[in-house]
Amino acid sequence: MELQKMFRIAELVICIALLVLWYVLSTYATRVMIVCGTIFGFTIITAVLVALSFLSFNDVAVYLILGAFLFLICGGLSLATLPNDTDGKLAYFIATGFFIANGVLFLIDFVLETKNKEVILN
């Protein structure tokens, strides 16, 4: 199996783990994860779709770099909204780890995607 396919499977598994975490932890989900997913995600998707109407570019690479930024921002927001009490802190740390891990995977996948496209063009 190609390295890029393995990264994309890992990205999907982490997203599913975050969805399960969202389902289990309703307080966390309403405070952080829903905001990240809806506002950032839909804005990014809409912006790229509009840009594709006017320009021609590799949309996979754009989604990868924007997804990386999205997950890293959500990891930061997760740490910024850490509750004061000890109840629920572990869930925030787990979600932060997943967000940051997925952001790093997206960045690596972006580098591999752009590297492969450069090889094809040369």
Side-chain angles (χ1 to χ4, degrees):
M1 185 179 290
E2 289 180 18
L3 185 61
Q4 272 187 305
K5 287 183 183 179
M6 291 190 323
F7 276 126
R8 292 189 181 159
I9 290 171
E11 292 161 2
L12 179 63
V13 168
I14 290 173
C15 287
I16 291 171
L18 284 166
L19 282 174
V20 169
L21 189 63
W22 169 75
Y23 179 74
V24 172
L25 304 167
S26 62
T27 303
Y28 173 75
T30 56
R31 289 178 63 191
V32 177
M33 292 179 75
I34 289 179
V35 172
C36 288
T38 55
I39 294 174
F40 289 123
F42 290 133
T43 302
I44 287 170
I45 290 168
T46 306
V48 172
L49 290 175
V50 168
L52 277 172
S53 301
F54 299 103
L55 305 168
S56 171
F57 55 87
N58 181 1
D59 57 336
V60 173
V62 172
Y63 280 121
L64 287 173
I65 193 67
L66 292 176
F69 288 140
L70 168 68
F71 278 107
L72 293 174
I73 288 169
C74 288
L77 285 175
S78 181
L79 278 180
T81 58
L82 192 67
N84 292 331
D85 58 346
T86 57
D87 189 35
K89 274 192 178 182
L90 180 62
Y92 277 73
F93 285 123
I94 291 170
T96 300
F98 280 144
F99 279 131
I100 291 173
N102 220 15
V104 170
L105 284 175
F106 268 73
L107 279 176
I108 294 170
D109 199 3
F110 170 75
V111 169
L112 292 174
E113 179 73 21
T114 56
K115 188 176 181 181
N116 287 343
K117 295 301 178 187
E118 289 173 3
V119 170
I120 291 172
L121 294 175
N122 289 334

